[in-house]
Amino acid sequence: EVQLLESGGGLVQPGGSLRLSCAASGFTFSSYAMSWVRQAPGKGLEWVSGISGSGHTTYKADSVKGRFTISRDNSENTLYLQMNSLRAEDTAVYYCAKVFDYTDSFDYWGQGTLVTVSS
Amino acid sequence: QSALTQPASVSGSPGQSITISCTGTSSDVGSYNLVSWYQQHPGKAPELMIYEVSKRPSGVSNRFSGSKSGNTASLTISGFQAADEADYYCCSYAGSRTYVFGTGTKVTVL
């Protein structure tokens, strides 16, 4: 059974940093691209960043370029999102999501972790 | 990258068919047959319902179907049930390994 379990969310001040983790199990982690998707309170979904299965290639939304870095440790089956220079508008539930083969869709999602940026 | 446009809400009676539209541009929806749809119940993670415009993942009811014409994709729920009440989001590949989601549609039972 595929499982994705996010952790690392919490309250952080504007300008601060936070690192999210997503522990994956139930599939060959290194064979699949992964993404982070966020959802501000009461708002819609926003794709944040993606990474290839090998970890060699990463992609980001314009809204987080220069501030967020996605990475993965295939030996630990874990996906990360390093978030720096956090802003109030980054407040959201952050989901990690597995890319469904080569369909450019997301077939498994974690339960999400809440990041609150506030002073 | 601007969000794809969806109606804020759609309502339907049990047994009816309802359709949710998702309008993008020639840079996303119009350029790729890579539109997916997600169902999200309150407090839950999204669930994949349709991928590559019209394909259903294993386990998803055949009451859900997808289509696309030009820059607009659509999700149709036939035989609408109370359990289908949820928020629905479309998503399109937007090039350079980036993605754009729709604004979301709240589907309710009349």
Side-chain angles (χ1 to χ4, degrees):
Chain A
E1 179 192 5
V2 172
Q3 289 193 335
L4 299 171
L5 185 62
E6 301 96 336
S7 61
L11 175 64
V12 61
Q13 292 189 337
S17 298
L18 212 56
R19 188 176 85 154
L20 306 183
S21 300
C22 172
S25 62
F27 64 104
T28 305
F29 183 65
S30 59
S31 295
Y32 294 91
M34 300 289 293
S35 275
W36 288 97
V37 177
R38 68 184 179 183
Q39 186 170 34
K43 303 297 184 182
L45 300 171
E46 180 188 13
W47 179 81
V48 173
S49 188
I51 187 168
S52 62
S54 66
H56 292 156
T57 313
T58 63
Y59 313 92
K60 298 174 198 177
D62 289 343
S63 57
V64 305
K65 275 182 182 174
R67 301 187 302 122
F68 289 13
T69 301
I70 190 172
S71 62
R72 64 193 297 162
D73 183 339
N74 286 343
S75 68
E76 295 289 336
N77 291 345
T78 303
L79 176 72
Y80 300 101
L81 185 67
Q82 178 67 43
M83 304 185 294
N84 299 330
S85 302
L86 283 161
R87 307 166 179 165
E89 54 264 36
D90 296 317
T91 294
V93 172
Y94 285 74
Y95 296 100
C96 66
K98 172 184 167 292
V99 176
F100 181 21
D101 293 341
Y102 298 97
T103 69
D104 287 297
S105 63
F106 308 106
D107 58 347
Y108 288 95
W109 299 62
Q111 86 292 345
T113 187
L114 176 63
V115 173
T116 303
V117 183
S118 175
S119 54
Chain B
Q1 194 75 4
S2 298
L4 309 176
T5 300
Q6 298 180 231
S9 62
V10 170
S11 298
S13 299
Q16 276 188 330
S17 288
I18 65 166
T19 297
I20 304 167
S21 61
C22 168
T23 301
T25 69
S26 57
S27 297
D28 38 61
V29 175
S31 285
Y32 309 98
N33 288 324
L34 294 171
V35 176
S36 51
W37 288 89
Y38 302 85
Q39 178 191 67
Q40 186 179 35
H41 286 106
K44 300 294 187 182
E47 178 182 350
L48 177 65
M49 305 304 285
I50 295 287
Y51 67 97
E52 290 182 341
V53 175
S54 60
K55 298 177 181 178
R56 278 187 308 277
S58 174
V60 172
S61 170
N62 59 9
R63 297 186 299 104
F64 292 85
S65 61
S67 62
K68 191 189 89 166
S69 177
N71 296 339
T72 299
S74 298
L75 174 72
T76 297
I77 308 174
S78 59
F80 184 64
Q81 301 176 359
D84 300 330
E85 269 202 334
D87 293 329
Y88 290 82
Y89 295 91
C90 60
C91 179
S92 176
Y93 180 68
S96 302
R97 303 251 60 85
T98 65
Y99 304 87
V100 58
F101 280 91
T103 50
T105 298
K106 187 176 188 65
V107 172
T108 56
V109 175
L110 284 171

